[in-house]
Amino acid sequence: MAGFAIRLARRTGRLLPAPTALVAQVVVFLVLIVLTDGAGSGPVAWLTALGLACAAAVWRSRRRARKARLVPFVPVLVAAALTAAVCLPTVPTARQYPPALPFVATQHWSLTTGSRVAVYHYAPTDPGSRHPVPLVYLNGGPVRGISVLDHRFLRLLASRGFDVYAYEQAGGGRSGLLPMDQYSISRSVRDLNAFVHRLGKGAVDVLGFSSGAVVLTRALADPAVSARIHQAVIAEPGPMDGPTARITGQRGHPSARGLAPSPRGPRSTRLPRYAVAFGLMRLGLLSPGTGLIGQAEGDNAFTAADLGSDTASAYCARDAHRIPAEDTPQNFSFSAAASLRIQQTVKDSPSIAARLRHSKTPAMLMIAECSSQVRQWETAALADDPAIRRTQYMPGVGHHLWNGLDDNNDRAAAVITAFLLGEPAPLPNYPTRARIADFLRDHK
């Protein structure tokens, strides 16, 4: 290693002018960050890159006049200052949880899986209209706190007689963190099973949205878990397993991605440390458990504005200039690293289609007109789950079906209520299992 460093320094000193030497030092630093997976929060890569750069500067200065011998060290110092910013935390490195919400109490339940989750309960507004089966909500993310917008929708369901329980999945919102290697889609399913058991009210109805719908779909494929589910609402699911995740198909009608104004507010990705960490993780060049930033620090740093166009992609193009604020800065919480880890375990998982075909839990699928999800991710569940009795194609909305615009919340609540109470559907049963091919053809 020492011999390689000396040879590299000599070649660098002979070939690179000062500006190029600065860029080269930064590039070497980033390469070392990747090779070491950010070991020790970055100083290992920083010191190595600095040492190589100093050796190259010494080589370049050896034939210069005495007064000019320090000139090659100028780009070294500049690059050292730039790259040092990647090694210095600018937020607390211990988890800073969101404060309590003013409109609902936060409970903390310890599950038999070892997860400690934040729980919210919305009792029916009118106790006389209480539905006998509790409704459990699984939010999207994965590993994102429940947004204020979603809390409003849960209150709407409670006003319609539902006894609503919601919990933030491990690592999200006010729930406790897990070691990075314990995050997985299988763990999420086990946590759902443990939560229903801890609730102690028998079988429950479950509403799963986005990645929460993935957890629900996989739960329906597990007889031990599905036995605790009375009815299931699968809303805008992502890919349910590895084979489905590899499908690259069409999406819904145009979303607001690229049309909506850029999100306002501070961005951690404008700071060198977090731009490098989150950027390289997203590219797959750093592991979710990277040593560059700890899980808690990453959670503290990430902001709603860092989601960028991801938020806009959940709304129809026609709504691009009136996208509502989904959350408050105080309540927003998202673990980018844990989310990537769970998504990777979905991609690495074998097909669940054969097991899902044995599901007997009555289910409904909800699909948005302007869905940002690949259509085949959604129709795969319909094709493989014989217990899906109703599909509701929701016109005029994007991936975030209940978004507070117009009457969208009321329409989503009406669809969910009708299914769970066994009432006639407000919308046609579309697409049916037999018409999936026609649906994909007609909604390119």
Side-chain angles (χ1 to χ4, degrees):
M1 181 69 181
F4 169 76
I6 292 171
R7 291 194 298 275
L8 179 61
R10 287 175 176 172
R11 291 170 184 169
T12 303
R14 286 198 301 268
L15 299 176
L16 299 181
T20 309
L22 186 154
V23 173
Q25 184 176 339
V26 172
V27 170
V28 168
F29 169 75
L30 293 176
V31 169
L32 290 169
I33 285 287
V34 172
L35 292 177
T36 62
D37 199 25
S41 196
V44 173
W46 186 81
L47 289 172
T48 304
L50 178 61
L52 291 172
C54 286
V58 168
W59 185 267
R60 287 201 306 273
S61 66
R62 62 191 173 84
R63 293 182 179 177
R64 290 174 177 261
R66 179 171 297 180
K67 293 183 179 181
R69 285 181 181 175
L70 294 179
V71 172
F73 289 90
V74 173
V76 174
L77 294 176
V78 173
L82 290 174
T83 52
V86 177
C87 305
L88 301 174
T90 59
V91 300
T93 55
R95 182 69 175 110
Q96 304 292 298
Y97 291 97
L101 290 164
F103 49 79
V104 64
T106 305
Q107 305 174 53
H108 286 92
W109 291 5
S110 294
L111 305 180
T112 55
T113 57
S115 298
R116 184 167 174 78
V117 296
V119 181
Y120 309 93
H121 178 215
Y122 291 101
T125 306
D126 178 6
S129 65
R130 178 190 294 265
H131 303 311
V133 180
L135 175 61
V136 173
Y137 176 60
L138 297 176
N139 68 302
V143 201
R144 179 173 176 175
I146 299 175
S147 70
V148 169
L149 196 62
D150 279 8
H151 276 289
R152 290 175 188 152
F153 185 65
L154 298 181
R155 291 206 299 271
L156 175 60
L157 293 175
S159 73
R160 298 193 172 207
F162 291 103
D163 192 19
V164 181
Y165 290 85
Y167 68 94
E168 290 170 317
Q169 296 169 48
R174 295 163 186 80
S175 292
L177 307 182
L178 296 176
M180 189 58 65
D181 61 0
Q182 291 188 24
Y183 289 103
S184 70
I185 190 62
S186 297
R187 174 61 172 265
S188 299
V189 173
R190 293 197 302 273
D191 279 352
L192 170 61
N193 189 42
F195 178 83
V196 177
H197 176 72
R198 171 72 170 74
L199 185 59
K201 296 194 175 186
V204 300
D205 293 332
V206 181
L207 165 60
F209 166 64
S210 193
S211 63
V214 176
V215 175
L216 176 54
T217 303
R218 294 181 69 95
L220 296 176
D222 184 333
V225 186
S226 63
R228 298 184 186 274
I229 301 175
H230 177 249
Q231 294 181 106
V233 178
I234 305 168
E236 280 287 289
M240 61 185 182
D241 54 26
T244 309
R246 288 189 283 274
I247 294 174
T248 55
Q250 71 240 37
R251 302 177 190 269
H253 291 178
S255 75
R257 182 187 288 271
L259 302 174
S262 297
R264 296 180 180 180
R267 297 189 183 194
S268 68
T269 47
R270 288 176 177 165
L271 302 175
R273 179 171 176 81
Y274 307 110
V276 168
F278 293 137
L280 293 179
M281 274 194 282
R282 189 157 190 171
L283 292 172
L285 298 176
L286 287 181
S287 72
T290 176
L292 183 58
I293 60 171
Q295 179 188 173
E297 181 189 350
D299 292 2
N300 294 338
F302 204 91
T303 69
D306 286 326
L307 290 174
S309 59
D310 284 354
T311 298
S313 70
Y315 294 82
C316 290
R318 66 178 73 93
D319 296 325
H321 295 281
R322 60 171 193 151
I323 293 176
E326 294 193 337
D327 216 344
T328 63
Q330 296 76 22
N331 185 63
F332 178 82
S333 169
F334 180 67
S335 177
S339 181
L340 288 172
R341 162 76 183 168
I342 290 179
Q343 291 177 61
Q344 189 60 52
T345 64
V346 173
K347 294 175 183 177
D348 293 341
S349 68
S351 172
I352 65 168
R355 289 184 288 132
L356 189 58
R357 292 189 188 111
H358 294 286
S359 174
K360 297 179 181 178
T361 304
M364 176 178 72
L365 175 66
M366 297 176 71
I367 300 177
E369 176 188 347
C370 310
S371 177
S372 56
Q373 306 288 68
V374 173
R375 289 297 194 197
Q376 287 88 337
W377 294 351
E378 301 169 319
T379 57
L382 177 60
D384 293 324
D385 185 351
I388 291 181
R389 299 177 176 180
R390 183 182 295 183
T391 303
Q392 299 283 267
Y393 176 76
M394 305 292 293
V397 292
H399 179 60
H400 206 151
L401 295 162
W402 39 88
N403 54 36
L405 297 175
D406 304 325
D407 64 343
N408 293 337
N409 282 19
D410 287 328
R411 291 195 297 126
V415 163
I416 294 167
T417 300
F419 173 71
L420 294 180
L421 299 186
E423 298 172 349
L427 298 170
N429 182 24
Y430 173 77
T432 62
R433 190 170 293 102
R435 300 295 298 277
I436 289 176
D438 295 337
F439 173 75
L440 294 174
R441 183 195 65 222
D442 296 340
H443 291 273
K444 293 183 179 180

